[in-house]
Amino acid sequence: SAIPGQLYLIYLRYGGGVKIDLGDQPNIQFRYEWIDPLTGESLKSGKISGGKTNYLSSPRNYPTFLNNGDMLVIVKRIEN
């Protein structure tokens, strides 16, 4: 789900990683946060830049965590 240029919600069934194309958002900064959808726990966060395609790698991957491989990443524009 997305509000292009503002907010992106990406669900990954077995962790892993995802490419997010922010090529049409030059000179914009975004904050991302990986969340365990079962517990709501925030596992990893950081910043990425617009104007390019970014790859975000999940902090947990199947099959390492068999019971909680599902991951949610929230990418939100940083307002200046």
Side-chain angles (χ1 to χ4, degrees):
S1 185
I3 302 172
Q6 297 293 319
L7 179 68
Y8 304 85
L9 303 174
I10 304 162
Y11 176 81
L12 297 175
R13 177 71 177 112
Y14 296 111
V18 64
K19 288 182 183 178
I20 182 166
D21 183 358
L22 299 172
D24 61 346
Q25 302 294 318
N27 305 314
I28 304 293
Q29 293 290 308
F30 294 83
R31 180 162 186 77
Y32 68 87
E33 182 178 13
W34 285 99
I35 297 174
D36 180 330
L38 297 176
T39 66
E41 178 185 5
S42 175
L43 300 171
K44 180 180 176 183
S45 63
K47 294 180 182 177
I48 55 175
S49 298
K52 62 183 181 177
T53 298
N54 293 270
Y55 183 80
L56 298 174
S57 182
S58 168
R60 291 186 181 163
N61 292 305
Y62 176 85
T64 305
F65 292 89
L66 292 176
N67 295 326
N68 44 336
D70 296 1
M71 294 298 301
L72 174 68
V73 63
I74 300 170
V75 180
K76 186 175 180 180
R77 181 181 180 143
I78 298 172
E79 300 295 334
N80 292 329

